Amino acid sequence: MSDNQLNPLPEQDEKEAHLLDYLHVVQRRWKIALVVLLLVFAAVAIKTFLAIPVYQATVTLRIGLKPDTSQEVLEKRKERYYSMESELQVLSSFKVAERAAKLLQLNWHPRNAAQESVLQIRRLIIQDDINLLKLQALEGGRFKLFTDSRVLLENGRSGIPFAEEIEGLIELAAAKPGDVYELVRITSDQAAGMVSQGVSAYPIGDLTSMIGLSVERTDPKTARDVANAIAMAYANQDREQKLNEAATILDMIDQQLAALGAQLNVSEQNLQKFKIQTGLQRLSPEGASMIDVAVALEKQRADLLLQRQKIEEFSKNPGYSALEPSMAESLPGVPELLTRLLELRGIKGELLREYTPSHPDVIDVEGKIDLLKDEIANAAVVAIKSLDQELEAIDRELTVSSKKLEQVPEEELELARLSRASSVNAELYSYLLQRQQEERIAQASITSKVEIVNDCLLYTS
């Protein structure tokens, strides 16, 4: 047997001795231990009592991928490009925060940020030439609002809207009668910065199109209002972007229609004049078939030209173009670049809240943004070159068609040429009119793909 097996008792006695030593120490120092315990308890209690509660408001949104009503009616459009990461970036972006600030009418703020717990400006609309106000608290939650030159603007009461001389809603909490607070007008960037503080967006589940939005504030009503405003601004921006895209496409079609309308009038007049002069009224079946081929090719050409024009328009301002959704569908690699561009613009917005545009960090982000814009522009150039190749192929087919047309009998050659010009212009004009009506129907039935699922919930964090 080993020594450990033969002598187990000394180790056990040693452990019991150590435990007794600890108990003896506690008995001798119980007063010190008690004082330490009481001090720790008091410190935690004081910190808990003095801590300002933080409230968190949450909103759940659903990103819909079903076709718009216009798509169901016309069976024309494809589902729009969508990625969860890009939607999260848009939701928490500075641009959406700016829209939310406008919805909240965040034009004024206490000069001293510490006064936010006492004074909440829910709404205040005053003429633009006033930039500083003074609010004097009175008995019973009443207050007076003055200009900096002591001109009385409003006698109001906490929590009650006013709209006589000026429009607004101000809430006072624990304000002492006689206290005076200074209110300053804030810029749109400052308002957006205030809105975006304490905001986070996150996906809900791996296989859903649900997004959670949370906003943390020390005032529960502010947390609720900001969360709802951001969700509404996000939904409005999505619908407005679709409307702008439809309006841009309509404008392009209108431009083509205006030019084609003049050509159509001339070609029809020339054809009619020729028929009257010669007495020839109709083409042979062979000539009519050649014209049908030319009409089909011209329709393809018109579609390609419209697509090329859309890409050129998008490449002028990537990330803010009205045509961004449709471009994300058709340009390989661009959706990922746009997502990264949104992320960098959000980082730039965060930096500008603390630094000036000349700060090295801001300049570094701007450089990265410029590089991304160049990459997107290069992708657009590649797409345009590909379209140009398709256009060249169609032009070659049209040239071949024109040469074949010369093979018709000589007496109807001029009739064939004039008929072709008239038919092509008429068919193209009719086709573009149809596209115009489709776009107008689509525009009239546009809705946001964003749905606010639940009302805002509040709880302390």
Side-chain angles (χ1 to χ4, degrees):
M1 291 187 176
S2 66
D3 292 341
N4 289 338
Q5 290 174 326
L6 292 172
N7 302 296
L9 293 179
E11 181 178 350
Q12 183 177 358
D13 291 342
E14 184 178 354
K15 289 183 179 178
E16 291 178 356
H18 286 171
L19 180 59
L20 290 175
D21 289 340
Y22 292 138
L23 291 175
H24 291 155
V25 170
V26 172
Q27 287 177 344
R28 291 196 301 269
R29 302 286 190 269
W30 69 270
K31 293 182 179 179
I32 296 175
L34 180 60
V35 169
V36 171
L37 179 63
L38 290 175
L39 287 174
V40 171
F41 177 80
V44 172
I46 292 172
K47 183 179 180 181
T48 303
F49 180 76
L50 295 178
I52 299 175
V54 176
Y55 297 86
Q56 186 179 73
T58 62
V59 176
T60 303
L61 306 104
R62 178 165 55 199
I63 313 300
L65 292 178
K66 63 181 181 180
D68 297 333
T69 305
S70 60
Q71 294 171 320
E72 297 170 352
V73 173
L74 303 173
E75 299 181 354
K76 167 180 170 287
R77 298 178 183 272
K78 296 179 180 179
E79 290 182 351
R80 295 180 179 273
Y81 169 77
Y82 151 83
S83 77
M84 179 63 73
E85 185 178 355
S86 64
E87 296 300 328
L88 292 174
Q89 290 292 337
V90 172
L91 181 56
S92 56
S93 68
F94 200 73
K95 189 176 179 182
V96 169
E98 286 179 323
R99 286 175 169 268
K102 289 180 180 178
L103 290 175
L104 292 168
Q105 298 179 329
L106 290 182
N107 303 320
W108 294 85
H109 195 259
R111 181 185 291 277
N112 185 353
Q115 296 173 350
E116 290 182 36
S117 59
V118 178
L119 173 64
Q120 290 291 332
I121 304 172
R122 302 298 178 191
R123 185 174 69 259
L124 189 55
I125 302 175
I126 301 176
Q127 58 192 30
D128 292 340
D129 58 347
I130 299 176
N131 295 310
L132 179 64
L133 297 173
K134 292 186 178 180
L135 183 145
Q136 181 179 10
L138 304 174
E139 294 283 353
R142 293 182 297 108
F143 62 83
K144 288 185 177 182
L145 199 60
F146 299 91
T147 66
D148 191 35
S149 56
R150 299 298 295 176
V151 176
L152 179 63
L153 293 177
E154 187 68 41
N155 277 302
R157 186 182 294 274
S158 175
I160 299 178
F162 51 85
E164 293 184 5
E165 299 297 330
I166 58 176
E167 181 182 348
L169 173 61
I170 297 176
E171 293 181 358
L172 298 175
K176 296 180 181 178
D179 285 354
V180 177
Y181 304 92
E182 285 191 345
L183 314 180
V184 293
R185 187 186 294 275
I186 59 177
T187 66
S188 59
D189 285 348
Q190 289 173 323
M194 291 168 55
V195 166
S196 59
Q197 290 176 358
V199 174
S200 60
Y202 48 91
I204 300 177
D206 295 330
L207 301 176
T208 70
S209 59
M210 309 284 278
I211 290 179
L213 170 70
S214 68
V215 177
E216 291 187 349
R217 292 291 189 276
T218 55
D219 176 66
K221 290 184 180 179
T222 301
R224 176 201 62 197
D225 293 345
V226 170
N228 288 333
I230 291 177
M232 185 63 67
Y234 175 50
N236 289 346
Q237 177 174 286
D238 177 75
R239 183 174 184 274
E240 189 174 308
Q241 189 174 39
K242 292 180 183 178
L243 288 171
N244 289 339
E245 178 185 3
T248 302
I249 296 174
L250 272 173
D251 185 58
M252 294 175 181
I253 294 175
D254 290 343
Q255 291 174 18
Q256 292 189 29
L257 279 172
L260 192 58
Q263 296 176 22
L264 176 60
N265 290 333
V266 172
S267 62
E268 286 182 340
Q269 290 173 6
N270 290 338
L271 177 61
Q272 189 64 25
K273 183 178 178 181
F274 179 82
K275 286 181 177 180
I276 293 173
Q277 290 176 347
T278 63
L280 292 174
Q281 295 297 319
R282 64 180 61 185
L283 290 168
S284 63
E286 183 182 3
S289 175
M290 292 180 183
I291 289 175
D292 290 341
V293 171
V295 168
L297 289 171
E298 288 289 358
K299 283 184 179 180
Q300 293 180 37
R301 191 173 187 276
D303 268 339
L304 291 174
L305 285 173
L306 182 60
Q307 190 174 351
R308 189 184 193 281
Q309 192 175 358
K310 286 165 63 177
I311 294 175
E312 286 181 337
E313 185 69 24
F314 161 76
S315 63
K316 293 176 184 177
N317 191 18
Y320 285 117
S321 170
L323 296 169
E324 181 178 317
S326 59
M327 290 303 97
E329 296 170 359
S330 59
L331 299 181
V334 166
E336 293 76 12
L337 295 176
L338 288 173
T339 298
R340 179 59 181 159
L341 186 61
L342 279 171
E343 181 182 344
L344 287 175
R345 281 178 169 158
I347 293 172
K348 179 182 174 182
E350 293 285 344
L351 291 172
L352 287 175
R353 294 186 196 117
E354 300 182 19
Y355 308 117
T356 64
S358 60
H359 191 275
D361 290 346
V362 177
I363 294 174
D364 179 60
V365 172
E366 285 181 341
K368 293 178 181 178
I369 289 175
D370 290 338
L371 288 175
L372 271 179
K373 284 184 176 180
D374 289 341
E375 288 188 55
I376 294 171
N378 290 335
V381 168
V382 171
I384 288 174
K385 285 182 178 179
S386 176
L387 288 174
D388 286 342
Q389 291 174 354
E390 293 184 55
L391 287 167
E392 288 173 3
I394 288 177
D395 288 340
R396 287 194 295 271
E397 292 185 56
L398 285 170
T399 300
V400 172
S401 176
S402 297
K403 289 182 178 179
K404 286 182 179 180
L405 198 63
E406 295 176 358
Q407 299 173 7
V408 301
E410 185 176 353
E411 62 272 12
E412 65 173 279
L413 179 58
E414 185 62 22
L415 176 61
R417 288 172 176 168
L418 294 173
S419 295
R420 178 189 178 190
S422 178
S423 297
V424 166
N425 288 335
E427 287 291 331
L428 274 181
Y429 194 80
S430 176
Y431 174 67
L432 288 174
L433 279 177
Q434 180 184 351
R435 288 290 307 273
Q436 183 188 59
Q437 292 304 314
E438 289 175 350
E439 291 297 335
R440 285 177 176 168
I441 293 171
Q443 187 180 41
S445 59
I446 280 174
T447 58
S448 175
K449 71 173 180 291
V450 179
E451 177 188 358
I452 301 175
V453 176
N454 71 317
D455 294 328
C456 185
L457 303 175
L458 288 174
Y459 57 89
T460 57
S461 62

